[in-house]
Amino acid sequence: MNGMGLSFCFGASGAGKSTYLQKLAVSQEENILFVVPDQYTMQMQKELVQASPSHGIMNIDVLS
């Protein structure tokens, strides 16, 4: 991802979309926005923190 690009990730349930995006997000230094359903916000934040090498997500916002 470069600059102000917008990317979408589509696939069937259980195809690994979330895992792929989590790994991609924690390796980026730019700001990342995750838009997830309301009931999944806290779970996604927890998974991103656990996936991060520094166990922090300063450049990632999870929105519902």
Side-chain angles (χ1 to χ4, degrees):
M1 296 173 136
N2 293 333
M4 298 264 309
L6 177 63
S7 298
F8 293 93
C9 185
F10 296 102
S13 177
K17 299 175 300 291
S18 295
T19 303
Y20 167 76
L21 291 172
Q22 289 170 7
K23 288 179 182 178
L24 180 66
V26 298
S27 68
Q28 301 292 319
E29 292 183 9
E30 58 200 27
N31 292 332
I32 306 283
L33 296 177
F34 271 85
V35 180
V36 298
D38 235 357
Q39 68 274 15
Y40 193 53
T41 305
M42 294 298 289
Q43 180 65 32
M44 178 59 76
Q45 288 175 340
K46 179 182 175 184
E47 290 176 12
L48 286 167
V49 168
Q50 291 173 339
S52 170
S54 62
H55 298 292
I57 55 170
M58 296 297 291
N59 63 325
I60 303 172
D61 289 314
V62 180
L63 309 169
S64 59

